[in-house]
Amino acid sequence: MYKRQHFNNALELKPDYPPALLGLAQIEDEQGNYEKAISLYKHYAINNLNDITPFIALSEIAKKQNLTDDMLYWLLDARDRFPGDIIPSRSLARYYMNASQPVNATKYIQEALTISPGDSESLFIYSNILIAQDQQHEAAAQLNKLLSITPDDADALTLSGKLYLDMNLIQSARKNLLTALNVQAKNALTISLLAAIELKADNYDKSLEYVRTLQNIDPDYHVAYLQEGDIWLKKQDYEKARIAFEKSWEKSPSGEAAQKLFSIIIHQDSFDAATKPLLDWLQDNPNDIASRFYLAYAFQSNEQSQLAINEYEKLLQFSPNDSTILNNLAWLYPLDSPDALGYAERAYRSSPDDPGILDTYGWVLTQNGHLVNGRKYLKIAIQKLPDNDEVQFHYATNLVLSGETESGSEILKNLIESGRPFNGRQDAITMLEKLSGNL
C-alpha cells in the first residue's frame, strides 16, 4: 500500500515520471489488475522507447490472460524494435516449441543464439526443440555445449541423461544423472530416470531403491508406483505389480496406469474387470488417444469386433487418415464386405508403401473378387516381405482363385511343409487338400 501511494504521489507531481509509472504498473500487474497495468505500461512505453521492459511485460500479461495473438504481437513488436535483445526471440521460440511448431521454434531460437551464442536458457530450449524432432545427436551437441558453460545445471544434466537413456547410452546417462543428483538431491525426475536406467540394466534392486526414495520424498507421487509395478513385472511377481499399479491409480488415475492394470488383470480376472480402469479413464478423458487405441486393440484381440470398431471410429475423428486405424478396421469387418474394402483402400491411400497395408489391400480386393488388382498389391507386398508366410498364403490363394492352381499349390505346399505357424495355416491345408483331390 505504501509503495502504491508513493508512486501515485510522484505521478501527481510529474505524470510521466518513468520510475513511478513502471513501479505502479508492476504493482497492478502483480495484483491482477491487468487493465490498469496495461494502461500504465503503454503510457511508460510512449515516453521510454529505448526500454524493452513494457513490451515484454505486456506480452506476459497477454499470456496470463490467454490472449495468444496479443502476446505474439507484443513479442514481435519488441523483436522489431530491439533487434539486439535476446528476450523476444527466446520467448517466441519457447512459445512455438510448446505449441509443437518446430519450424517457427527453430527460426526464433537460432535468432536468439545469433544474438548470444552462449545463452544457457536458449541452448536448453534449442535442445528440447531438437529432441522433439528426433534429432538426438544434434540435441546432445547443444546440451554438451550448455554443460561446458554451466556444468552444474541440474535441468540440463537431467535432460541430457534422459536423452542418453533414449539413445541407449546407459553409462553416459547414468553419469549425468548422478551428477544432477549431487546438485539437486530430491529432484523427482532425476531419481525417476535413474530408476528407469537401472531397470533397463536389469539392476532390479537398485531400481527399487530409487523408487523407494521417490516414494519417501513424496508418498503421493503416482509415477513412483508405476515404476515399482514395472520392476515387479520384470521380476515376474504379478501380484506385487498389480498392487503397485493399483496404488498409482489410487494416487492419481492415468491412462498409463489403466493400461498397465489391464496387462495384469487380464491374466488374473475377467476381461470386463481388466477393461474397467480403461473405460473409467476414457469416460473422463475422451481425448486420450493412446489409451483409446489400447482399448480398441484389446477389444479386437478379444474378438469383440463391434466394440473395437466403435473405438477405432472414435479415433478416426482425431486422425481420419491414420493408416493403422484404417487397416485394423478393414480386418474387423467381413473381408468380402464393402466396408472392409473401403477401409483397406483408405489405409493404402494413406500409406501406399507400407507392406502390411499393401498385403491387407491386396487380400481384401481378392476376397471381394477383384483378383487382378488384388494380385498386383500382393505381389508388391511379397517383394517387401519375402519371408512373411501369411503374405505368401494370401498370394497363393489369389493364384488359385485366378485359375493358376499349379503355381498356387506349390506355394501352399512349401508353406505347410515348413511347419511354421501363420495366420491361415489351417485354411492353407484345407485348400491344398481340395486341390490335390482335383489334380
Side-chain angles (χ1 to χ4, degrees), residues 332-402:
L332 285 163
Y333 284 95
L335 295 181
D336 60 354
S337 69
D339 289 315
L341 184 57
Y343 282 120
E345 183 175 359
R346 285 174 62 186
Y348 166 72
R349 294 193 184 284
S350 180
S351 297
D353 296 321
D354 186 303
I357 287 171
L358 283 162
D359 171 57
T360 298
Y361 190 33
W363 184 231
V364 172
L365 282 165
T366 297
Q367 294 296 304
N368 279 267
H370 304 295
L371 300 177
V372 175
N373 270 344
R375 187 188 305 186
K376 180 176 89 171
Y377 295 109
L378 288 170
K379 196 168 185 179
I380 300 171
I382 281 182
Q383 291 169 356
K384 291 175 176 286
L385 296 171
D387 299 323
N388 187 294
D389 291 343
E390 188 174 351
V391 179
Q392 293 281 351
F393 166 62
H394 294 163
Y395 184 65
T397 302
N398 181 286
L399 290 173
V400 170
L401 293 174
S402 300

Side-chain angles (χ1 to χ4, degrees), residues 88-122:
S89 297
R90 190 173 62 198
S91 298
L92 285 162
R94 186 185 295 106
Y95 165 75
Y96 283 114
M97 176 185 72
N98 293 332
S100 299
Q101 296 185 39
V103 174
N104 282 331
T106 301
K107 169 187 172 182
Y108 289 114
I109 203 61
Q110 288 179 344
E111 277 187 5
L113 288 168
T114 299
I115 295 167
S116 180
D119 180 67
S120 58
E121 190 175 345
S122 295

